[in-house]
Amino acid sequence: MHTVWVRLNAVVFFGLTVLLGLSCLAGFSKIMHSQMHQPIIETLELQTLRSIKSHGGVDRALLSFNIDADMNPAFHWNVKQLFVYVVASYTTPSKEINNVVIWDTIIENIDSTKKKHIQQTNVFVKYALVDQGNELRGKDVTLKLMWDHMPITGFVYMDEQKNLDPSMSTFTLPSEYSSLK
Amino acid sequence: MFDKQVIELKKLWANKRQLLFQLLNLAMIVFSALMIWKALMCYTKSESPVVVVLSGSMEPAFQRGDILFLNNSVDQVGVGDVVVFKIKDRDIPIVHRILKVHEDSDGKVELLTKGDNNRVDDRGLYAPGQLWLEREDILGKCVGTLRYVGMVTIALNDYPVLKYVLVGMMGLFVLTSKEG
């Protein structure tokens, strides 16, 4: 009854239960934090439209944008990293909803306060704005900043910009293929 | 150290009523685990509600050995969601993030994914000629994570012998442990 095995089994099992319990507590501990502490987003606007071209049968636009977003409030001790990304949304006759990520970055919890405040001008897109067909010309495009809290343990939580005038982030693409030289 | 266990087993063999009781006990544990798994499948509408991350393509968000909880009862998956998807004719599902969403007026979506730690999108991983994922390819959206737990699964996969040793040991202990 009191063999080594029984004791070892009891200790390991109890240890695992405690760990699981603590993980659950950690997961629940900051569940309302993100609703109360929102990042401060000041700017997200088109800087330059470099080109819009037909690229192998599909329309492709290259552009750069300005961004000023202080992500510091979003961090708490159960956030391992923030995955921040800019989404371009538009509507075409054949596809009602088009959401395309054009830029993303990872901010880790160990990064400096300065790095958690994204403040850049004339950022060139990481992924080109490519349409599924050739219907990109003349469309209204809205940029939107979104982010994803990746927890150390617990729930994934996603959020997007609020309180920012959407007209600032909206622009119309030219109706003909064009490019800046 | 196993001597005692062997003696217990011999005693158990002599006492058929006790043996039956212990076997039922063992069956109870196995079936409870199975029931929990099946209940989770029902609740999340996903064929595998819990998956283990096997590659480093989502680092630093998810590392090898993390487990992810999936939910497939959501109607739509959106851009930026971390999803698990399966490619036709491939056994191992992949955990990556959605990069593009195109949806037509009928609600039919076409998706493109990419791993955070990969340089290019996933078109090279899809079936030959496949450009887009569809909703049916998605096994679930990641809603939560727990670290290191999946290391056990990885170890069991890498060393299959360990599987039999572990199951054998557990069976032996359940059979020979006396309650109270």
Side-chain angles (χ1 to χ4, degrees), chain B residues 46-69:
Chain B
S46 176
E47 61 182 88
S48 80
V50 179
V51 292
V52 177
V53 179
L54 293 174
S55 80
S57 63
M58 282 297 282
E59 278 185 27
F62 301 124
Q63 282 145 9
R64 199 172 138 84
D66 291 0
I67 63 170
L68 306 180
F69 297 93

Side-chain angles (χ1 to χ4, degrees), chain A residues 1 3 5 80-81 83 85 94-99 101 127 130 132 148 150 152-156 158, chain B residues 1 4 60-62 79-81 97 99-105 110 114 132 143-147 173:
Chain A
M1 182 132 191
T3 58
W5 293 108
K80 190 197 293 178
Q81 63 159 53
F83 185 84
Y85 51 105
S94 57
K95 297 281 170 176
E96 198 168 289
I97 301 169
N98 298 274
N99 292 323
V101 175
Y127 317 103
V130 181
Q132 227 185 355
D148 190 0
M150 315 301 296
I152 295 171
T153 184
F155 306 102
V156 173
M158 299 175 77
Chain B
M1 270 195 273
K4 278 187 185 164
F62 301 124
V79 71
D81 286 351
R97 195 184 293 276
L99 191 70
K100 288 183 178 194
V101 174
H102 296 287
E103 182 180 344
D104 63 17
S105 45
E110 291 183 300
K114 175 181 172 290
W132 305 94
V143 290
T145 170
L146 206 56
R147 299 188 73 181
F173 279 117

Side-chain angles (χ1 to χ4, degrees), chain A:
Chain A
M1 182 132 191
H2 296 290
T3 58
V4 179
W5 293 108
V6 174
R7 286 166 192 237
L8 192 72
N9 184 41
V11 167
V12 168
F13 189 73
F14 183 69
L16 287 179
T17 314
V18 170
L19 271 179
L20 189 69
L22 286 176
S23 300
C24 290
L25 280 179
F28 280 107
S29 66
K30 288 290 184 184
I31 205 158
M32 288 303 288
H33 183 279
S34 308
Q35 274 86 350
M36 289 183 287
H37 303 275
Q38 287 280 327
I40 304 148
I41 296 145
E42 299 282 353
T43 316
L44 180 65
E45 60 184 2
L46 179 77
Q47 163 75 24
T48 330
L49 184 76
R50 305 274 179 99
S51 69
I52 174 164
K53 281 179 178 168
S54 179
H55 186 81
V58 293
D59 281 1
R60 186 186 77 171
L62 294 174
L63 52 98
S64 64
F65 59 91
N66 300 331
I67 182 171
D68 182 348
D70 186 0
M71 306 307 289
N72 275 297
F75 282 90
H76 55 71
W77 65 274
N78 196 19
V79 170
K80 190 197 293 178
Q81 63 159 53
L82 226 54
F83 185 84
V84 186
Y85 51 105
V86 174
V87 179
S89 308
Y90 58 94
T91 304
T92 58
S94 57
K95 297 281 170 176
E96 198 168 289
I97 301 169
N98 298 274
N99 292 323
V100 177
V101 175
I102 56 169
W103 181 82
D104 62 29
T105 189
I106 292 170
I107 312 175
E108 291 188 75
N109 203 359
I110 49 171
D111 287 338
S112 63
T113 314
K114 197 160 173 271
K115 207 183 162 193
K116 287 175 185 168
H117 189 168
I118 310 167
Q119 202 169 17
Q120 294 174 50
T121 51
N122 209 6
V123 187
F124 191 63
V125 289
K126 205 165 151 185
Y127 317 103
L129 174 51
V130 181
D131 186 37
Q132 227 185 355
N134 52 2
E135 303 175 311
L136 205 53
R137 283 159 290 167
K139 298 295 180 296
D140 290 331
V141 177
T142 306
L143 300 182
K144 197 183 234 177
L145 191 72
M146 298 171 93
W147 55 92
D148 190 0
H149 299 75
M150 315 301 296
I152 295 171
T153 184
F155 306 102
V156 173
Y157 177 77
M158 299 175 77
D159 209 347
E160 58 181 58
Q161 67 179 46
K162 297 166 193 126
N163 313 325
L164 186 69
D165 184 9
S167 63
M168 177 196 244
S169 316
T170 304
F171 56 91
T172 307
L173 289 168
S175 52
E176 294 299 326
Y177 291 131
S178 61
S179 70
L180 283 180
K181 277 281 157 351

